[in-house]
Amino acid sequence: MQRCFNIIFFLFLFSFFLSFDAAFAQMSSEDYLNLVHQEQQQNNDQIVLSLLNEAEHLYPKDPNIFFERGSFYFNQRIYKKALQDFLLAEKYSYDNTYTLYTNIAEIYGIQGKYEKAKEYYDILIKDYPENEHALANALWYYYKTLQIKEGIAIGEQAIQTWPSSSSINSMLALLYASLHNYEKAQGYYQRAVDISIQEGRYREASQTLYNQAIFEGEFYQFALSENLLQKAIGLDNNPSSYRLMGELYLKKLLYWSAKDMIEISEDLEINETETIKRDRTPLGRLVLAQLYLTFNQLHMAEKILSQVDKLNNQEWITSFGTNKDAYLSWQYSLQAMLWQKHYLILRRSIHESWAEWIKQKLQMLRATFFYFYYKSLQNAFTLKGANNMRHEQLLLPAYQDYLTLSEGYPNAQRRFLDLSSALELPFAPKAKPTYLAQKALLEKNAAWRDEALQEFDPVYERYKKQVVLEKWLIQQPHSKDRISLIAQLYDLNRAAVAPFGLPVQLYIQGDKFYTKPLHKFLKQNLLLINTSPYILKITLAQGTAEIILEKDAHELIQRSIEFTASAKGIAELANRVLFYLYFPTE
């Protein structure tokens, strides 16, 4: 009995010493954090996370541990878990509220929760009124939440304290630009650029010049916008500036130059995003997709748009400053255009058997479904953006979006066209041809159409001219001046399309030309079509045929034909072909 008691007492004593030793050996939370910092220097991420999890288990209410783990997740771009830990650090009273609230606000911004981000910056500018960086960031979220006038009031007060702050000057410029206040915005942009250059921050100056170039373009100052972009590129190889330059070249129908600029932008952005570890923006790729759609290179456009689908996260949208609704509306409009072109190509294909006919109809049904699917998404995001802007009294962009949505409803179009022009023309008189052209298309008024075409900027609004001509031809394919309008289209494009070739649809006049052998010959031999002034050149696998276009003719008449013996029959074919650009209605 005594022996049994001794054994029990020994075991109890042993367990007591073990527990005492464990309690004595338990590390403090500061010891854990010191170890964490040591392992971070060695980039041992797994050990860092393991130590932080163990520390949380022992010290479940220590805000420093939650902040450190939140910072770890933040650096790994695991934002959901980072936010959870930062909010716990806030709950348990982490002392460095400036860094904590800044991180929380940034995550909310990345997630697109701009109101929540602004709430935290409102706290920061109240608790840290001397911090210029916090105030500039707060102004950014006033812009993102469309609370423009409130942001301007705060910014104007702040600029009295920090007159030499390039960031506050730049944000005030952006806010005033949102209200279309040209003089104020231009003045603040110039001050921001001058301050950045004086302080040697050339990349910042380049970014501000890029923002100003966008602003000048919205006021139809296209030449000034291009000049600002050239200065921005001279200060820093900013990929955004190259992309915007590409968009300017697109307005001028300089497609090849536009493609070069976009590709430079894409290459620079790959290097930049690999360095700072964030996703690339898809904006350049959307411009490329638009270029490929213009030339009916649908497989390339489809490939690019499939890549863009993978980049619809909030992080790049927040850091880049893009309006998410407008961006998604643009993306889905290109998707809709892609499937519309698929459908129109299928509709014009000639089937050679019942099996091919059934396959063609199924493919057309598929293209129709996707066209309406993406068109509905485009309209939904356009409407959402318009409603948000109207709610915040940003009426001009709201009315312009409503005008886009009202296509096909003439009364609504007239209303929003009048509202938009009444708001924009007083501060941007150069917008007049745009509204006149829209009114001409709506009322089918050829005199207004010609006046608008005449008043468009001859260099920078060539794309708008092209759109007006195409829409007119599609709406009224049998108009009396149709051949003249087609000639103007070719004249606009002749220099722009030389490097690409200009895809054109073929209409064969006469039933006897819808024969299987001829259709098969066309599919095998037609490669592309180039243009020069009033001359259409069909390049075939084995020869070339040229047709001169006469403005006053009611058909395209063959004047000269060049072909080799192996291209026999091309002359007869060319004499019967009617060329029509960009999928007009039959």
Side-chain angles (χ1 to χ4, degrees):
M1 185 69 181
Q2 182 65 34
R3 183 179 180 184
C4 183
F5 175 79
N6 289 338
I7 292 172
I8 293 171
F9 178 76
F10 174 77
L11 289 173
F12 170 77
L13 192 64
F14 182 69
S15 63
F16 173 78
F17 277 113
L18 284 177
S19 62
F20 178 84
D21 182 62
F24 181 78
Q26 181 174 306
M27 294 191 299
S28 67
S29 61
E30 290 80 7
D31 293 333
Y32 272 105
L33 294 177
N34 289 332
L35 275 177
V36 164
H37 295 152
Q38 291 173 20
E39 296 298 336
Q40 283 175 333
Q41 292 175 358
Q42 303 299 319
N43 295 319
N44 295 325
D45 292 341
Q46 290 184 343
I47 298 176
V48 166
L49 186 57
S50 177
L51 285 168
L52 288 169
N53 289 339
E54 185 178 335
E56 184 218 351
H57 179 72
L58 292 170
Y59 304 100
K61 294 186 178 182
D62 190 321
N64 298 291
I65 293 169
F66 289 113
F67 179 82
E68 286 293 337
R69 192 170 65 180
S71 301
F72 171 82
Y73 284 131
F74 186 86
N75 293 330
Q76 298 292 321
R77 300 170 69 189
I78 307 172
Y79 297 118
K80 186 176 180 180
K81 289 187 175 181
L83 181 60
Q84 290 173 350
D85 278 337
F86 284 144
L87 291 175
L88 285 169
E90 179 188 17
K91 177 181 177 181
Y92 296 121
S93 303
Y94 183 70
D95 56 357
N96 187 350
T97 55
Y98 179 81
T99 304
L100 177 63
Y101 288 173
T102 300
N103 289 347
I104 292 173
E106 189 169 347
I107 293 175
Y108 277 131
I110 289 169
Q111 293 177 340
K113 299 175 182 177
Y114 304 129
E115 288 285 355
K116 294 292 292 182
K118 190 180 79 66
E119 285 177 18
Y120 276 89
Y121 271 115
D122 282 341
I123 296 171
L124 285 169
I125 61 177
K126 180 181 177 182
D127 292 348
Y128 300 90
E130 75 288 352
N131 193 296
E132 171 194 341
H133 181 71
L135 196 133
N137 283 344
L139 293 179
W140 171 249
Y141 284 105
Y142 275 90
Y143 166 74
K144 293 295 286 185
T145 55
L146 302 178
Q147 297 179 51
I148 307 299
K149 293 179 180 178
E150 295 89 335
I152 286 175
I154 293 171
E156 286 289 5
Q157 186 176 357
I159 205 68
Q160 304 303 317
T161 306
W162 296 287
S164 298
S165 167
S166 60
S167 56
I168 294 176
N169 274 284
S170 182
M171 285 310 308
L172 272 170
L174 183 62
L175 290 163
Y176 275 115
S178 300
L179 294 182
H180 309 289
N181 189 324
Y182 185 83
E183 288 75 17
K184 284 277 191 179
Q186 193 179 53
Y188 280 119
Y189 272 130
Q190 190 59 55
R191 285 172 61 183
V193 171
D194 291 344
I195 292 166
S196 297
I197 291 175
Q198 288 170 7
E199 296 178 357
R201 299 198 302 272
Y202 298 113
R203 184 170 182 78
E204 183 180 289
S206 176
Q207 185 64 44
T208 305
L209 285 166
Y210 160 80
N211 291 333
Q212 186 179 357
I214 295 175
F215 159 73
E216 296 290 355
E218 291 175 350
F219 279 82
Y220 299 81
Q221 303 291 339
F222 301 114
L224 178 56
S225 179
E226 185 172 351
N227 184 44
L228 290 168
L229 287 175
Q230 289 170 346
K231 290 181 180 178
I233 291 170
L235 288 171
D236 179 77
N237 273 332
N238 190 328
S240 301
S241 297
Y242 282 101
R243 180 188 58 78
L244 192 56
M245 186 72 84
E247 292 184 26
L248 267 180
Y249 283 138
L250 187 59
K251 293 177 187 293
K252 297 160 74 173
L253 297 186
L254 298 177
Y255 297 120
W256 192 253
S257 299
K259 187 169 181 289
D260 283 345
M261 290 292 105
I262 298 301
E263 287 177 345
I264 292 172
S265 171
E266 290 288 279
D267 290 341
L268 288 171
E269 193 169 22
I270 288 171
N271 296 331
E272 183 179 272
T273 52
E274 285 178 351
T275 302
I276 61 178
K277 294 183 180 179
R278 70 166 173 82
D279 288 334
R280 293 164 59 197
T281 70
L283 300 176
R285 272 165 284 184
L286 286 181
V287 180
L288 276 179
Q290 185 173 339
L291 279 168
Y292 285 123
L293 284 170
T294 299
F295 293 103
N296 298 332
Q297 297 181 18
L298 304 189
H299 66 288
M300 288 298 298
E302 192 165 4
K303 180 180 178 182
I304 291 170
L305 290 172
S306 67
Q307 295 171 352
V308 169
D309 276 336
K310 301 173 184 177
L311 293 176
N312 284 346
N313 58 55
Q314 293 285 350
E315 184 179 356
W316 77 264
I317 293 174
T318 302
S319 60
F320 202 78
T322 303
N323 181 294
K324 183 185 176 185
D325 296 326
Y327 156 71
L328 289 174
S329 176
W330 179 27
Q331 179 194 341
Y332 292 133
S333 73
L334 293 177
Q335 292 276 19
M337 187 188 303
L338 171 69
W339 287 103
Q340 183 184 40
K341 293 206 169 201
H342 273 310
Y343 173 84
L344 291 168
I345 288 175
L346 288 165
R347 192 179 70 176
R348 285 166 172 78
S349 63
I350 301 172
H351 56 275
E352 299 182 5
S353 67
W354 280 106
E356 285 191 8
W357 181 83
I358 293 171
K359 182 179 178 181
Q360 175 196 19
K361 295 304 178 185
L362 289 173
Q363 289 174 334
M364 288 173 65
L365 184 63
R366 177 172 178 263
T368 302
F369 169 79
F370 280 112
Y371 167 75
F372 283 110
Y373 171 71
Y374 285 114
K375 193 68 178 176
S376 64
L377 286 175
Q378 175 197 347
N379 291 340
F381 283 104
T382 303
L383 180 61
K384 181 183 175 184
N387 288 340
N388 288 339
M389 287 183 285
R390 188 184 65 174
H391 178 72
E392 297 299 334
Q393 296 299 305
L394 299 176
L395 297 180
L396 176 59
Y399 290 154
Q400 289 173 334
D401 280 348
Y402 289 140
L403 178 60
T404 301
L405 290 166
S406 64
E407 187 174 352
Y409 301 91
N411 290 334
Q413 276 187 287
R414 291 185 185 94
R415 176 170 176 260
F416 290 118
L417 193 60
D418 290 341
L419 289 169
S420 298
S421 60
L423 284 173
E424 186 170 17
L425 291 180
F427 66 79
K430 289 186 177 182
K432 178 187 171 184
T434 300
Y435 288 106
L436 187 59
Q438 289 174 305
K439 192 174 180 181
L441 288 167
L442 182 61
E443 306 296 347
K444 299 180 175 59
N445 187 311
W448 292 346
R449 176 202 69 198
D450 292 338
E451 184 181 348
L453 290 171
Q454 184 67 29
E455 292 187 11
F456 276 130
D457 187 300
V459 176
Y460 292 95
E461 292 188 316
R462 296 174 75 205
Y463 183 78
K464 284 188 177 181
K465 290 183 182 180
Q466 182 191 64
V467 170
V468 171
L469 289 166
E470 288 172 2
K471 285 187 174 181
W472 187 277
L473 286 165
I474 290 170
Q475 290 176 4
Q476 302 185 65
H478 304 296
S479 59
K480 293 180 180 180
D481 56 353
R482 174 172 159 276
I483 295 298
S484 174
L485 298 179
I486 294 174
Q488 290 183 56
L489 267 175
Y490 285 130
D491 190 46
L492 276 174
N493 280 280
R494 69 181 188 274
V497 301
F500 283 96
L502 180 63
V504 178
Q505 295 307 295
L506 298 179
Y507 284 77
I508 313 300
Q509 292 183 326
D511 291 339
K512 65 179 181 179
F513 284 91
Y514 284 97
T515 59
K516 293 180 183 178
L518 179 59
H519 173 61
K520 195 170 184 180
F521 172 82
L522 282 173
K523 288 177 71 175
Q524 291 174 350
N525 290 280
L526 185 62
L527 301 179
L528 55 86
I529 297 174
N530 293 325
T531 65
S532 55
Y534 310 125
I535 297 178
L536 312 182
K537 180 181 292 183
I538 318 170
T539 304
L540 300 124
Q542 297 175 316
T544 300
E546 287 188 357
I547 299 175
I548 293 180
L549 173 66
E550 292 188 345
K551 283 187 177 181
D552 299 325
H554 292 287
E555 62 181 355
L556 304 177
I557 303 173
Q558 174 196 350
R559 293 300 189 193
S560 65
I561 300 171
E562 300 173 7
F563 61 96
T564 65
S566 58
K568 186 177 180 181
I570 301 301
E572 182 181 4
L573 169 64
N575 196 33
R576 307 255 183 190
V577 170
L578 177 64
F579 292 85
Y580 200 83
L581 195 60
Y582 298 120
F583 305 111
T585 56
E586 294 178 338

